[in-house]
């Protein structure tokens, strides 16, 4: 009998596609530029009358200049520092706390799981912006406060994703086998389960970073994030949109393009990886 | 063995399938679910299609009325249904076919009936498309049909949702939907598989009586040879997408030529056989549809296998020694007398 | 029944937690709440009077009960900047927010339903691919990016509608519609993206189900199958989704109100943050949290009544 044929794995690798790599390239580039901004040959983002106000894009100022004659290109670059910092750091914190709780809760189950899950569901039903507004109303609008409060919001969401993934993995035969064989719970959790849910963590992490960037952008747009003149994409859009839309829409356009492209890239990467993950999961 | 007493005139064929192949485009390549199948059945007869799961019987019967989603599908060959060339039909013509000629019932009535729609609306839907009647008239017709399929208290049950009915009643409702358009062809895709054994017989009897009453041609898909034996005039045995044996039920089941048919028969438990009789099973499983054996597809599991079977694929040949049609695809058929001539052409054997 | 009791108890817990947050919020405000309420010009005497009146010298539990009593009887206090009662301010603003949300949802469904039906009937064809890219885009675009672009095109370049401002429907319905057009479209685009993606995939899956195939075998056209057979089932999940959306929707509405300077709850709370009007922030946020929780619970319960299968189990 040709049993060898039926058991042979048919690994058809789904290609991630050119757009996936373009998105990854963009995000890596933005992160690099954001980190290295002070060392790059850029004009100071806050130095006024570097050039003529509302200067159209040209070779020395490729994005033009804003109402106070600040170089738009370096403002957009420096603005990315805020967005990327808040997006990545808050989700890292959220993943660390929410993900760990989710794994423990999903693996151990019982009362702890019921309690944490109900708590997560209740917190999720709170409107996020209301929470953020209440926080910035009480505390100062500093980068740290905003990062931490966005991290706090992301905890129950990431908790829920990781918890259900952990439950799904825990029910698989090899985990059950490990439990029967008497491996320690700690070992099972970190050696057996963690590698299996890592990909899901990355998928939802990317999605979360996109949402966190938008959340920070919204606060900044409302004037409730880092205070001016420190540029962030959100407050640059607000500045341009509220006062100079008629005069020079480029002031609004540049940060808009950057925030949209970055968020779309994160969402797209997440979607693509999820697709890849699902199709490879079904094949094995 | 049961035979219909009805006289079937020659040339009055309900269905002629010629060299029909159905393949799906999948990520792993082309999957040929049905491979060069040809057969003919007369009007008003009952055909049983048997085979293991995955043998292509469901794909075959759904292709007969082009019910499969056609985005990744490739159909070759021809289907002649009461003179209609089904493979050539356009979408609108296909709907006409469903409205007036052909109906189908599925295996599981729980999934095939809309869970959030009352029974009466689901039946009225088929009626409305078939005939132009007033609302009140149609209401009565729905009740009549429910009564015809043997639903107690049809007035009350008509207002139920499918989940409020029992399994047997649900299957009766699905049959009611199917016959509401008074079709000339009814395809029943494993109509009794999802039911309790006690209900199975009732449903089969219902199908049989309806078939007689409406002079329908009935195609019954089943993996249960007992069911086929009970109700069918003709039987087609499928294996891995191929038609391996076809003929009158009595001929095929009494004298199977193809070892696969015999193996299927040996798997069947029977009360009449002595208890000491050992129940057989067919070793191993069906070949992977993506890597089919070169020769006969049953060869890897066949107890009668010889070297020719592995190299060469047998064609469907007709046993010309008998008056009745009996076709099989095997080089070394199990027969009392080995046939002298093996006709490879199928077109010659269309008429019995 | 059990299901409803469970949902209601979760609602009560949520409302309780929201009230605790609201109560704590008042005490997180830097300085004495009495000073915060009265403002810096308050005399020590007035502060002392208010401190007793607010019960600030009582135990926290007693204070909490006083707070709860006041809150649920509509005594939210007075806005520090204008001196108006917070209750009046909220009563004046919530209709605008409601109009924006209802308008945008009607719009979102009007666009999403035909598009997703068309896409689902012919999946993976050009129309489907095109609309899925569009909705993916709108899903990713935040309101504060979309709104300036819409203002630029429709208000600045074309001049069809005003860029900001608001006239109540009682004064001039025509002007009101013009004023609300851009805000509603901005809010609708995000919802449209969510609804169309969900409805499309839902319909594609339902069309693969046996009952859709059985309906097809009756000779019913694909569009009719969608509308008569699939819609009732997928409307159930749309109800759930729009329930889950309500929180996103309210916050989205707040931002959009601020952008277009509509005098709604959003503008009220954001202005309150900028002027440190804590009692307004407190009242609006606690009310919104409670409203969202109530709506979610109602949606969950209505879901049980809409689906005859669940209805039976209860």
């Amino acid at each position: 009998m040709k049993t060898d044929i039926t058991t042979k794995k048919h690994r058809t690798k789904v290609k991630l596609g050119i757009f996936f790599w373009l998105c990854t390239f963009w995000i890596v580039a933005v992160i690099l530029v954001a980190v290295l901004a002070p060392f790059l040959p850029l004009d100071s983002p806050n130095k006024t009358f570097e050039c003529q106000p509302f200067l159209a894009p040209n070779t020395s100022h490729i994005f033009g200049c804003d109402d106070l004659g600040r170089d738009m290109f370096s403002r957009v670059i420096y603005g990315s520092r805020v967005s990327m910092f808040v997006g990545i750091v808050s989700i890292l914190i959220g993943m660390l706390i929410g993900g760990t709780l989710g794994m423990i809760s999903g693996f151990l189950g019982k009362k702890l799981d019921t309690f944490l899950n109900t708590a997560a569901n209740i917190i999720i039903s709170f409107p996020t912006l209301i929470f953020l507004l209440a926080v910035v109303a009480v505390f100062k609008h500093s980068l740290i406060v905003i990062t931490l409060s966005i991290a706090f919001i992301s905890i129950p969401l990431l908790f829920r994703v990781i918890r259900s993934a952990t439950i799904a993995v825990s029910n698989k035969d090899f985990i059950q086998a490990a439990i029967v064989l008497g491996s320690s719970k700690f070992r099972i959790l970190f050696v057996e389960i963690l590698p299996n849910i890592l990909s899901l963590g990355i998928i939802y992490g990317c999605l979360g970073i996109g949402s966190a960037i938008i959340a920070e952008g919204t606060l900044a747009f409302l004037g409730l994030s880092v205070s001016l003149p420190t540029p962030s994409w959100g407050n640059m859009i607000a500045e341009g949109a509220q006062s100079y839309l008629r005069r020079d829409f480029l002031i609004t356009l540049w940060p808009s393009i950057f925030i949209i492209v970055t968020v779309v890239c994160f969402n797209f990467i997440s979607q693509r990886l999820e697709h890849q993950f699902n199709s490879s999961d079904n094949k094995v | 063995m049961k035979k219909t007493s009805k006289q079937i005139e020659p040339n009055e064929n309900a269905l002629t399938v010629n060299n029909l192949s159905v393949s799906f485009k999948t990520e792993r390549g082309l999957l040929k679910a049905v491979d060069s199948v040809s057969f003919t059945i007369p009007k008003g007869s009952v055909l049983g299609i048997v085979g293991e799961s995955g043998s292509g019987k469901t794909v075959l019967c759904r292709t007969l009325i082009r019910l499969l989603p056609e985005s990744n599908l490739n159909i070759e060959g021809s289907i002649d249904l009461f003179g209609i060339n089904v493979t050539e039909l356009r979408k609108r013509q296909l709907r006409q076919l469903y409205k007036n000629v052909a109906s189908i019932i599925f295996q599981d009535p729980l999934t095939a009936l809309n869970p959030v729609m009352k029974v009466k609306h689901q039946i009225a839907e088929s009626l409305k498309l078939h005939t132009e009647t007033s609302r009140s008239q149609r209401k009565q017709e729905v009740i009549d049909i429910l009564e015809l399929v043997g639903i107690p208290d049809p007035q009350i049950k008509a207002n139920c949702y499918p989940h409020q009915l029992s399994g047997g009643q649900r299957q009766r409702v699905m049959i009611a939907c199917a016959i509401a358009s008074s079709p000339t062809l009814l395809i029943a895709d494993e109509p009794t598989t999802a039911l309790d054994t006690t209900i199975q017989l009732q449903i089969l009897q219902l199908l049989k009586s309806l078939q007689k009453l409406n002079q329908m041609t009935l195609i019954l898909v089943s993996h249960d040879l007992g069911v086929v034996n009970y109700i069918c005039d003709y039987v087609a045995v499928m294996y891995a997408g191929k038609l391996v044996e076809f003929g009158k039920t009595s001929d095929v089941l009494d004298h199977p030529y193809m070892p696969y048919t015999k193996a299927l028969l040996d798997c069947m438990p029977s009360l009449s056989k002595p208890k000491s009789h050992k129940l057989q099973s067919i070793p191993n499983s069906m070949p992977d549809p993506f890597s089919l054996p070169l020769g006969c597809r049953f060869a890897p599991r066949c107890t009668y296998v010889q070297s020719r079977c592995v190299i060469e694929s047998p064609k469907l040949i007709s046993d010309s020694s008998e008056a009745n049609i009996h076709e099989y695809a095997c080089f070394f058929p199990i027969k009392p007398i080995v046939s002298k001539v093996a006709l490879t052409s199928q077109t010659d054997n269309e008429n019995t | 029944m059990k299901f409803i009791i469970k949902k209601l108890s979760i609602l009560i817990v949520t409302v309780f937690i929201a009230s605790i947050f609201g109560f704590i919020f008042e005490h997180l405000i830097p300085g004495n709440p009495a000073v915060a309420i009265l403002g810096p010009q308050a005399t020590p005497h007035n502060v002392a009077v208010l401190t007793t009146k607010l019960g600030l010298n009582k135990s926290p539990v007693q204070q909490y009960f006083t707070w709860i009593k006041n809150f649920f009887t509509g005594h939210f206090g007075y806005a520090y900047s204008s001196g108006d009662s917070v209750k009046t301010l909220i009563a004046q603003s919530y209709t605008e927010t409601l109009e924006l949300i209802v308008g945008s949802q009607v719009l979102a469904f009007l666009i999403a339903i035909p598009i997703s039906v068309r896409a689902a009937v012919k999946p993976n064809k050009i129309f489907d691919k095109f609309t899925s890219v569009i909705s993916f885009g709108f899903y990713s675009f935040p309101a504060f990016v979309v709104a300036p672009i819409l203002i630029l095109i429709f208000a600045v370049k074309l001049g069809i509608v005003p860029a900001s401002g608001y006239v109540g429907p009682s004064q001039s319905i025509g002007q009101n519609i013009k004023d609300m057009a851009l805000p509603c479209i901005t809010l609708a685009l995000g919802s449209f993206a969510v609804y169309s993606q969900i409805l499309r995939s839902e319909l594609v899956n339902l069309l693969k189900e046996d009952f859709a195939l059985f309906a097809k075998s009756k000779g019913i056209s694909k569009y009719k199958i969608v509308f008569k057979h699939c819609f009732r089932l997928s409307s159930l999940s749309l109800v759930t989704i729009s329930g889950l959306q309500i929180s996103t929707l309210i916050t989205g509405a707040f931002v959009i109100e601020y952008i277009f300077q509509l005098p709604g709850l959003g503008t009220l709370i954001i202005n309150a943050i900028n002027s440190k009007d804590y009692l307004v922030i407190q009242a609006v946020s606690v009310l919104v949290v409670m409203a969202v929780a109530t709506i979610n619970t109602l949606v969950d319960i209505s879901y049980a009544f809409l689906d005859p299968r669940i209805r039976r189990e209860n």
Side-chain angles (χ1 to χ4, degrees), chain A residues 28-256:
Chain A
V28 171
V30 170
I31 291 174
L32 277 181
V33 169
V35 172
L36 300 175
F39 310 106
L40 294 177
L42 290 169
D43 293 325
S44 161
N46 297 330
K47 194 174 166 208
T48 50
F49 303 106
E50 183 87 9
C51 50
Q52 208 186 328
F54 304 113
L55 184 79
N58 60 37
T59 44
S60 56
H61 302 281
I62 55 168
F63 281 5
C65 289
D66 71 356
D67 52 315
L68 294 173
R70 294 173 292 196
D71 180 55
M72 278 305 289
F73 184 69
S74 52
R75 280 185 74 74
V76 169
I77 296 296
Y78 274 85
S80 70
R81 293 175 71 112
V82 176
S83 295
M84 295 312 261
F85 179 83
V86 173
I88 293 171
V89 174
S90 65
I91 294 304
L92 277 181
I93 296 172
M95 191 58 93
L96 212 62
I97 300 174
T100 315
L101 283 177
M103 269 172 63
I104 293 171
S105 169
F107 183 61
L108 296 181
K110 293 182 192 151
K111 276 188 181 159
L112 176 82
D113 184 45
T114 320
F115 172 74
L116 285 176
N117 195 34
T118 316
N121 282 336
I122 289 173
I123 298 175
I124 286 170
S125 71
F126 279 41
T128 50
L129 185 72
I130 297 295
F131 174 78
L132 291 178
L133 290 180
V135 170
V136 294
V138 180
F139 302 103
K140 267 192 256 161
H141 323 158
S142 73
L143 197 61
I144 299 300
V145 167
I146 286 163
T147 310
L148 287 179
S149 39
I150 292 178
F152 179 78
I153 291 169
S154 73
I155 289 173
L157 292 164
L158 295 169
F159 165 84
R160 214 153 63 160
V161 174
I162 299 296
R163 173 185 169 268
S164 54
T166 310
I167 291 175
V169 174
S170 302
N171 290 331
K172 289 205 172 146
D173 290 341
F174 66 96
I175 300 292
Q176 292 300 324
I179 293 170
V180 173
L181 288 173
S183 301
S184 79
K185 282 183 175 166
F186 185 82
R187 205 191 128 77
I188 293 173
L189 209 52
F190 286 92
V191 179
E192 309 275 3
I193 294 180
L194 186 62
N196 279 293
I197 56 173
L198 211 57
S199 47
L200 212 69
I202 294 169
I203 289 166
Y204 282 91
C206 283
L207 205 64
I209 293 173
S211 311
I213 289 175
I214 288 183
E216 189 279 329
T218 307
L219 282 181
F221 183 85
L222 301 176
L224 302 172
S225 182
V226 288
S227 42
L228 290 167
T230 310
S232 93
W233 289 340
N235 68 28
M236 289 167 75
I237 294 173
E239 233 187 327
Q242 276 155 13
S243 320
Y244 308 109
L245 205 55
R246 275 160 219 278
R247 179 101 195 256
D248 183 3
F249 67 87
L250 284 179
I251 299 176
T252 316
L253 194 67
W254 294 125
S256 298

Side-chain angles (χ1 to χ4, degrees), chain B residues 104-289:
Chain B
I104 187 165
I105 50 180
F106 292 155
Q107 178 177 346
D108 188 358
L110 196 59
T111 58
L113 293 173
N114 191 330
V116 293
M117 218 167 148
K118 282 180 182 167
V119 162
K120 60 175 178 186
H121 295 307
Q122 304 201 36
I123 298 172
E125 210 173 38
S126 331
L127 272 176
K128 200 156 73 183
L129 290 167
H130 181 64
T131 46
E132 301 251 330
T133 41
S134 69
R135 196 173 272 261
S136 57
Q137 226 177 326
R138 208 183 300 133
K139 227 176 189 172
Q140 189 51 48
E141 276 176 52
V142 169
I143 305 292
D144 291 345
I145 290 174
L146 281 174
E147 206 157 11
L148 183 69
V149 297
I151 297 242
D153 307 322
Q155 300 274 8
I156 303 163
K157 299 291 181 192
N159 281 313
C160 288
Y161 289 98
H163 64 76
Q164 293 166 317
L165 304 174
S166 70
Q169 284 175 341
R170 276 198 286 267
Q171 191 58 282
R172 285 173 196 272
V173 167
M174 183 145 72
I175 294 172
C177 289
I179 62 159
S181 59
S182 33
T184 37
L185 171 76
L186 178 64
I187 298 175
D189 188 354
E190 308 216 17
T192 56
T193 311
L195 300 175
D196 286 345
T197 3
T198 45
I199 315 287
Q200 286 188 4
L201 187 67
Q202 294 176 17
I203 297 292
L204 285 177
Q205 279 166 341
L206 173 68
L207 280 174
K208 205 168 164 180
S209 65
L210 288 171
Q211 184 259 333
K212 278 204 179 135
L213 188 73
N214 297 357
Q215 301 269 307
M216 282 189 299
T217 305
L218 177 65
I219 295 180
L220 185 89
V221 177
S222 181
H223 56 247
D224 188 344
L225 283 172
V227 168
V228 170
N229 190 11
Y230 179 72
I231 190 171
C232 298
D233 306 323
Y234 291 87
V235 61
V237 183
M238 300 272 300
Y239 186 79
K242 283 265 193 197
L243 181 63
V244 293
E245 188 153 9
F246 178 81
K248 281 256 166 105
T249 311
S250 51
D251 298 336
V252 172
L253 297 190
D254 290 353
H255 310 289
Y257 289 167
M258 171 74 193
Y260 177 62
T261 317
K262 187 176 180 298
L264 275 182
L265 281 165
D266 287 340
C267 296
M268 237 174 56
S270 167
L271 292 176
S272 58
K273 285 176 192 163
K275 263 199 186 139
S276 56
H277 180 85
K278 219 175 153 193
L279 214 57
Q280 301 287 313
S281 70
I282 309 177
N284 295 322
S285 55
M286 284 233 290
D288 179 23

Side-chain angles (χ1 to χ4, degrees), chain A residues 1-2 5-6 10 12 14 283, chain B residues 27-28 284 288 291 293 300:
Chain A
M1 227 341 258
K2 308 189 174 187
I5 288 165
T6 43
H10 291 268
T12 40
V14 182
K283 287 250 161 51
Chain B
E27 279 179 29
R28 280 172 63 189
N284 295 322
D288 179 23
S291 49

Side-chain angles (χ1 to χ4, degrees), chain A residues 121-122 124-126, chain C residues 1-16 236 239-247 288-306 310 314:
Chain A
N121 282 336
I122 289 173
I124 286 170
S125 71
F126 279 41
Chain C
M1 237 10 244
K2 217 174 156 188
F3 169 78
I4 293 174
I5 289 169
K6 195 181 154 200
K7 287 288 162 196
L8 283 179
S9 55
I10 288 183
L11 172 66
I12 290 167
V13 172
T14 313
V15 169
F16 173 71
L236 295 174
V239 168
T240 326
I241 297 303
S242 52
L244 290 175
Q245 276 279 300
I246 194 76
S247 136
V288 166
V289 170
M290 287 179 181
V292 167
T294 313
I295 291 170
N296 278 334
T297 312
L298 288 179
V299 165
D300 280 343
I301 294 174
S302 72
Y303 187 87
F305 281 98
L306 277 172
I310 298 178
N314 292 311

